[in-house]
Amino acid sequence: QRQMCIRDRLTERELTLARLIADRCTNKEIAAKMFLSEGTVKQYTNQLYSKLGIGGGVRTKRAQLAELFAKKY
């Protein structure tokens, strides 16, 4: 139920970004797949973490997001 609420709050682009992070893609790989610059990926990623209330260091944030999305999406 909680995951569905999160999914409903995200745009398609944010869901795509979250899936790529969950798949452990690097920012460079995400940028290439989404046709964005690495800087834009970093900005979108930070906005996504903020929107989902995910905090901590970079590895911690990525791990939390990967855990959340690997289960459902």
Side-chain angles (χ1 to χ4, degrees), residues 38-64:
E38 283 185 69
T40 301
V41 169
K42 288 178 186 178
Q43 183 180 7
Y44 285 174
T45 300
N46 286 329
Q47 290 172 352
L48 180 65
Y49 293 146
S50 178
K51 197 172 190 178
L52 297 177
I54 294 174
V58 174
R59 288 184 181 176
T60 302
K61 289 178 186 177
R62 282 187 168 254
Q64 288 178 40

Side-chain angles (χ1 to χ4, degrees), residues 10-24:
L10 301 179
T11 65
E12 284 300 317
R13 178 164 270 200
E14 289 168 334
L15 283 171
T16 299
L17 176 63
R19 286 183 191 111
L20 291 170
I21 293 170
D23 287 343
R24 308 228 185 262

